[in-house]
Amino acid sequence: MSAYPLRDNAPDRLRAHSGRPLRDISPEAIAAGELNADDLRTHADALRQQAEIARDSGYPQLAANLLRAAELTNVPNDELLRIYDALRPERASYEELLRLADYLEDSYDAGENAAFIREAATVYRERNLLRR
Amino acid sequence: MKQKQRSKRFDLLSKRDINRETYVEPWPEAGLIVADSPYDPQPSLTISAAGEVVEMDGVARADFDALDRFIVSRALDLAVAEEAMALPSQNYARMLADINVSRADIARLVAGCSPAKLTDIIRHLNVLEMMMGLSKMRIRRQPANQAHVTNWREHPALLAADAAEAALRGFAEVETTVRVARFAPFNALAILVGTQTGRGGVLTQCSVEEALGLRLAMKGLTSYAETLSVYGTEMTFVDGDDTPWSKAFLASAYASRGVKIRFTSGTGSEALMGRAERKSMLYLEARCLLVVKGAGSQGVQNGSISCIALPEALPGGVRAVLAENLLAAMLGLEVAAGNDALASHSNIRKTAKLMLQFIPGADFIFSGYSAIPKRDNLFGGGNFDAEDFDDYNVLQRDMQIDGGVQPISEDEALQVRRKAARAIQAVYRKLDLPAITDEEIEAATVAHSSDDMPRRDIIPDLEAADAFMAGEGDFVAVIRALQEGGFDDVADNILEMGRQRIAADYLQPSAIFDADFKVRSAINDPNDYAGPGSGYRPAGERWAAMQNIPQARSPEGFIEPHTGQPLSRLVEIGPASKGAPNEVALALGPAFGKILTTTIGGLSHEDVLEAILTGIAAEGMIARILRVYHSSDCAAIGYVGARLSGSGIGIGLQSRGTAVIHQKDLAPLNNLELFPQSPSLTLRTYEAIGRNAARYALGLATVPVAVKIDNGARLRLIVQTALLHRRETDEVDPDKLPQELRFDWEPDL
């Protein structure tokens, strides 16, 4: 795994969620008030690279999780919390879950998450885990 | 009515710590059985021609519950499942204990095993074989340790100081939690600042309700989360207000913010929640672990965790806890192995249990070593706590086993605690939070527990915490505050945590940061154990650091207090010959009164000589003093004395104080009386030794001198004993004959 760890072996390719390159994230930039929270957040690209590393190292489930995570980097905090809540038992109807999946796919190109939620919707319907 | 007869021994046993525990007989119907419930299914897996699992562990697809559905869809590697299920369970067990079978070969097959198959493998393993298995299957090469840092008062300066000390001690992760949920952001902040003061790269988390935990992570106040609890039955899962899908989504949400996650499972929770469905704890744990894996978690904390007392109440409970650690490692999960919640009143039992993870090593040997006293532990924890720090360091030193920490000096601790408390004070000041006073800094620097801390006004603290949580404040603001407060190094460490978040290397399996702030995970530090001479073992600087307990002294320091100026009153006058019948010969070791001048018990050699001579004189005999050069052995010295004594009775006396009464016709290693416990000997004893020797010489009936038995003396003093004997042996001259001495002394009669 020659690229891993990316922090040491590929720092020039790393950038924050905001797009700011890693090399520009310095104590001086903080002191100058130039950085905000998105400058210290993970970019989807890094998560996709990590997913590849995980898959190649024999951790396919972790890789799948990191790919879902990469899709979620663009989903705002509050929405993430809302989706999580909808997936808890007896919170949402079957149709609501399907709509949520469509929304994620359409708005954030989050196909992996959409498939994941559709799978949940199917099982929830069979196992009586939907809102009554 | 006749009183039941009571054995004094059984009465005493009933009061021992081990009998403060609760023990219960198994009851499978209630899930009170750690493994092999008669209701556990037999392993089976049927895959249709279309590649769909249509049956698993005796349950048809139509009857699958949500966990089964999740497991077949996301956890099992169906490409190997047929081969994996066909291989007899005993073969797996043998492969686990066989150094010639690699971790990868086992992991490939285990990926296709159903929950019942996993449980069935364990059936064939005893704890020793499981420990062998864990040392091979653990995914990261070097073991590590996690600390719990909380305090009852939720005092920010104390949290920061304790977190800094934990970081300095070497813990790779520090977890805190709350007594009052609203304190969550401040507690998370305090241990973030504290750990990064102690050592850059320590991962931190705050264990709170899931949604709140995610919000803390989004603010950058935490870098990992492990409160994602899963359960082995659908009903328990729902009672926990989650499903495998909601938990897995949460895991992805955390990862999307660059936060390491670890799920939590562990035997006993289903039985505790009344939903075990008659299954054994281990079988349900196998289901949990497959859910964890299917969700894409890099790891799990298991080892029963907060339910530990329940399996420990049952036969085989401690074995089952090791089994669940092993199953997790077999599945390629990072294992934080438990040993956190209070599991036993008995120090013997808690330590014995620990060995099952400590010896083979786990990714985290503890999923929370209480780096604070038990009474400050808000996790219900503290099976090992701050008061056991030195014990734990010694265990590492004893066995040359890396338990993930190292000893530190008191000065280092005080320094880092003060700095961490000042750093959090600066952050509070810059962020306009309720002030932390200098008095609080000083208290936190020296404190052991929250009892040592001044009270804070909780109302404004809580209001500030609410405002901080609701506002924009995050770790960027914290870094700036630290810079402005003059804590640039701490600020740099937190900033580096931010950069690491961007790189996301620490989302890989079993990732920690080492002392150089470099990521170390199963990707770049994979476990390569393949039998003796392979795998991780502490060496070089690491082993030196583990050995370096402040209590260890240099060997010279044990000898020096017993040395002094040669006794001026003891003069050598020439070669010794046989003496008159009315004498007792007192034979001294080669260093006595010359190089060494006090006994191991601290008596001066002058006083000892006077005491023995007084005893001999009291019985009307004359003492003649000799020095033996050719041996430092007590029996040999005494035997020479007896052979040269006119009466045939001699006393042998080594410099450390060990004495013997000898008789010329006895075998050299025999004796009349031996006094091996020199530390217990008093001047009164030495006088009695002189008196008895004289009485033997006079042929009188003699009661042996009574010496108190102190079995702890050898334990306390064996190092001094060895070193003083060695010093005396240095003075041995094999060619030099015994010499006669004159001691300037008159009996005080």
Side-chain angles (χ1 to χ4, degrees), chain B residues 114-405:
Chain B
S114 71
K117 182 71 176 179
L118 293 173
T119 319
D120 199 49
I121 293 168
I122 296 297
R123 219 183 285 264
H124 300 279
L125 292 160
N126 67 28
V127 292
L128 183 61
E129 292 150 357
M130 283 193 251
M131 287 161 77
M132 291 286 293
L134 188 56
S135 71
K136 175 162 72 183
M137 299 308 291
R138 178 183 79 235
I139 62 174
R140 192 198 322 113
R141 189 166 183 270
Q142 180 166 357
N145 213 335
Q146 181 194 114
H148 281 164
V149 173
T150 59
N151 67 70
W152 192 83
R153 290 230 172 108
E154 309 196 76
H155 196 293
L158 182 59
L159 283 170
D162 278 326
E165 184 181 328
L168 189 67
R169 287 182 181 276
F171 290 100
E173 289 184 349
V174 173
E175 177 183 17
T176 191
T177 189
V178 289
R179 186 166 61 89
V180 180
R182 289 161 67 199
F183 266 126
F186 283 177
N187 292 4
L189 175 62
I191 66 157
L192 173 66
V193 171
T195 52
Q196 303 314 302
T197 304
R199 174 172 82 78
V202 174
L203 298 167
T204 61
Q205 73 149 331
C206 181
S207 171
V208 284
E209 183 273 323
E210 310 283 25
L212 178 57
L214 185 55
R215 288 166 68 208
L216 292 173
M218 288 165 171
K219 278 182 172 290
L221 298 176
T222 56
S223 45
Y224 79 103
E226 68 176 353
T227 49
L228 293 86
S229 306
V230 296
Y231 305 96
T233 67
E234 189 180 83
M235 294 302 282
T236 323
F237 230 120
V238 170
D239 284 350
D241 203 17
D242 268 301
T243 75
W245 282 266
S246 66
K247 275 280 145 76
F249 182 82
L250 191 62
S252 304
Y254 272 113
S256 76
R257 285 352 188 223
V259 174
K260 171 181 176 175
I261 53 114
R262 176 187 302 128
F263 279 43
T264 297
S265 59
T267 46
S269 56
E270 299 84 3
L272 195 69
M273 292 164 81
R275 307 267 199 194
E277 298 175 2
R278 308 193 297 181
K279 303 298 194 295
S280 74
M281 295 177 181
L282 193 60
Y283 167 71
L284 294 179
E285 177 61 13
R287 279 163 59 91
C288 286
L289 291 171
L290 285 171
V291 169
V292 170
K293 185 176 182 186
S297 172
Q298 62 81 34
V300 70
Q301 67 163 334
N302 76 356
S304 201
I305 312 301
S306 50
C307 300
I308 182 66
L310 196 53
E312 287 212 11
L314 287 155
V318 169
R319 173 183 174 271
V321 166
L322 172 62
E324 64 183 83
N325 296 147
L326 174 61
L327 285 180
M330 286 160 61
L331 290 165
L333 296 168
E334 173 201 62
V335 182
N339 290 313
D340 49 356
L342 210 53
S344 179
H345 301 88
S346 157
N347 282 331
I348 294 176
R349 193 181 191 208
K350 80 172 190 184
T351 308
K353 188 229 163 279
L354 172 69
M355 290 304 106
L356 304 193
Q357 289 82 29
F358 181 81
I359 293 173
D363 300 285
F364 292 87
I365 294 165
F366 290 71
S367 40
Y369 182 114
S370 182
I372 44 164
K374 282 179 186 57
R375 62 182 177 278
D376 267 331
N377 191 308
L378 300 177
F379 289 100
N383 205 41
F384 281 76
D385 74 0
E387 290 165 25
D388 301 316
F389 273 148
D390 290 351
D391 296 67
Y392 192 76
N393 285 329
V394 170
L395 291 179
Q396 292 192 137
R397 186 179 184 266
D398 282 347
M399 300 194 203
Q400 198 171 347
I401 281 178
D402 193 335
V405 301

Side-chain angles (χ1 to χ4, degrees), chain B residues 559 562-563 591-598 605 655 724 727-728:
Chain B
I559 302 171
H562 297 281
T563 59
F592 192 100
K594 230 169 117 181
I595 305 292
L596 299 170
T597 52
T598 61
H605 283 177
S655 294
L724 291 178
R727 187 67 193 85
E728 181 137 80

Side-chain angles (χ1 to χ4, degrees), chain A residues 1 4-8 14-16 22 25-27 30-31 33 35-37 39-42 46-47 50 53-54 57 59 61-62 65-66 68-69 72-73 75-77 80-81 83-84 87-91 113 116 119-120 122-124 126-127 129, chain B residues 64-66 69 73-75 209-211 214-215 218 234 238 241-243 245-246 248-253 255-258 293 295-296 332 474-476 479-480 483 492 495-496 498-505 507-509 518-519 521-524:
Chain A
M1 224 33 63
Y4 185 87
L6 301 180
R7 174 77 184 86
D8 297 326
L14 289 169
R15 58 195 165 127
L22 185 74
I25 294 160
S26 63
I30 291 249
L35 301 188
N36 62 40
D39 294 317
L40 290 178
R41 255 185 63 191
T42 319
L47 292 170
Q50 296 293 356
I53 292 165
S57 306
Y59 299 95
Q61 290 87 357
L62 173 60
N65 176 24
L66 294 173
R68 292 195 295 274
L72 297 177
T73 51
V75 180
N77 291 351
L80 278 185
L81 290 166
I83 300 164
Y84 167 58
L87 283 167
R88 291 179 128 171
E90 299 167 21
R91 297 298 206 286
N113 283 280
F116 183 84
E119 179 185 78
T122 308
V123 176
Y124 286 15
E126 291 170 28
R127 295 304 303 171
L129 295 170
Chain B
F64 277 2
D65 67 8
R69 290 291 294 270
S73 158
R74 303 205 161 260
E209 183 273 323
E210 310 283 25
L214 185 55
R215 288 166 68 208
M218 288 165 171
E234 189 180 83
V238 170
D241 203 17
D242 268 301
T243 75
W245 282 266
S246 66
F249 182 82
L250 191 62
S252 304
S256 76
R257 285 352 188 223
K293 185 176 182 186
D474 61 7
F475 73 149
V476 178
I479 298 169
R480 275 193 86 165
Q483 286 178 334
D492 287 351
L495 179 60
E496 179 59 19
R499 292 198 197 93
Q500 292 287 359
R501 211 175 247 249
I502 290 167
D505 292 314
L507 303 187
Q508 295 294 353
K518 297 291 181 194
V519 75
S521 71
I523 307 294
N524 64 346

